[in-house]
Amino acid sequence: MKNILQRFFIVVFPLTFLLYYGSFKYLRNYQIRQEKYVVERGNVYIRNKISDDLSFIRNELSKIKEGKNNIPKQSKQKKRIFSNNEPVERIVEKKVNIEDEYPHKPWKHQKLDEYIGEHGKPDSKSCAKKEHIYFLKTSKTGGTTFANILQRFGYSRPGTNFLMGECGNGAMFFANGEMPFNLDVCFVGRDFKDRPKFDISFVHMKYNQTAVNELMQPDTFKVSILRDPVENFISSWRYYNGLIKDFREMIMKDIPVEKRPKEGEDPDYFLEIEQFLTKPVDYLSDYAYSHAAHLMVMNPQLVFFGVPSYLLKMNYQFGHQLVDSWLHGIASDFDHILILEDLDRSLAILMLKLCWTIEDVAHLKLNTMKKNDKKLSSGSIKRLRDFNWGDIRLYNYFKAIHDHQIKEIGENRINDIARRIEARANQISSECLETIKSGEQWIQSLKLKPEKMKNQTCFMMTKDMGPYIHEDQVTRWKQQFPNWRMSEKDLADMKFKGSQTPEFCSKDKFAEFLTKREKNYRAFLKWKTNEYDILQTPPEYLEEFLKPTGNDEVFRILN
């Protein structure tokens, strides 16, 4: 038995090993052959794909070459290097058939001297006052001054409909993230199908031509305002410091500790800006386009015109044609752009375009910021201009149009009107205001003389009338449009409500705002007036509103 087992192991074991090894080797060789086959097939595919791509590229290059050969010699030009210092080709003479595009705006296809004039003057008999005005209020550009002009102009004409958001100042800039204003954004009367066309708008928003044209009167005159981009950037950084606090804190980490303000000291905004401009795109890279760091830092004026200026991270060499197309569109659509650095002459031109009077454009400069002795270094200013080249181009474009129109109308005529505007402003200031010593306040709010606190003219010249305009318009609309009411379902969830609560898209938020300001507006309407005030007696639709309710829990505005 032992011998049999020995023979078995001697014979069978080697055979088993040979069979196993042979099978393994065969399988391994098969696997290698398969891998070689796959690689070879892949190489064939890649070679064919490359060959196809090369053939396509050769064909396209041939077409381009043929196209170039067909260009007349006189049309060939050397590659041009564009500089942001070059002026944009200005739209002074109309280059399109604007008469067809703007049938309700005859001034669009007229020369300036054919429609401008000063209302009431013998040589301006043919001009008529324009009363439908859309003002795109940009930020930190002096826009509050002209917004106040429009508030008073519209308020003096009972029945004027104002396009405003459902908030205190009516602003709608942040209402839609980085996207422009649209008809879904919450504004007074948004969900009311029978709402009238709006006559005036003076609020912050990111412009949308289609939506604005849908809401405003067809013959609306469009205005905006611009400021030197370097000064605007610095002012925005200082004013919106709270909105970009986390952004500023990130930048401060890159500033040596010994250079940072000590605890309890005021922020050094210029130090922050200098550091930011060393690598602005990198600092912005982690922030959404809807964040104030983008909206208020990167081309903060151009963004108001509804274009995605926060995307302009390329050099102007590669993006100037895109921006120029935006500028031509703005110039065609808007009827006047005010220039802050030459405000009185800008207003003089606008006054003539609107056929207004000196009294219509009378104003005091509002919300001016205290000047800072610090300045950015020349290197930082150059980097800022390179970074926000879109705003630089925007400003230069409309500043050139402004200068051209002064010459076209006549510099002596414009200067004379500007002097009269300034003289009226000085007169109002002398009558209404206390003297404020320079440096007393960061934001230079105007302070009324004690005896002028309840003077209608002085008060309206210095205050935001937005809340009172809300009260006035909502009260009037309630009477004009009985169907403009909140549904029972929505009322059930509201805290601030009454028997006649209008349909507000922001529900309690706006209702609460109105109730808190109702008493103030009622008191304002009861002030003693004189022959110089713009609204000497309240309109009839406010008669019921003026009656006290006798109950602090009951509000006229909602009942």
Side-chain angles (χ1 to χ4, degrees), residues 349-368:
I349 300 170
L350 179 60
M351 188 194 84
L352 293 174
K353 287 182 176 181
L354 294 174
C355 193
W356 282 11
T357 66
I358 294 293
E359 201 59 35
D360 290 327
V361 294
H363 67 278
L364 297 172
K365 292 179 174 60
L366 304 177
N367 284 3
T368 57

Side-chain angles (χ1 to χ4, degrees), residues 248-272 275 283 374:
R248 292 171 45 240
E249 288 175 348
M250 175 187 66
I251 293 169
M252 286 295 291
K253 292 177 181 177
D254 290 342
I255 299 174
V257 176
E258 62 273 14
K259 291 186 178 181
R260 300 178 197 172
K262 295 181 174 59
E263 188 175 349
E265 292 182 346
D266 292 335
D268 189 338
Y269 298 122
F270 285 86
L271 180 65
E272 296 170 6
Q275 179 60 38
Y283 281 125
K374 283 192 173 183

Side-chain angles (χ1 to χ4, degrees), residues 74-87:
Q74 62 269 25
S75 299
K76 289 186 176 181
Q77 296 180 353
K78 292 182 179 179
K79 183 178 178 181
R80 183 181 173 190
I81 303 300
F82 291 91
S83 168
N84 201 30
N85 294 323
E86 296 178 14

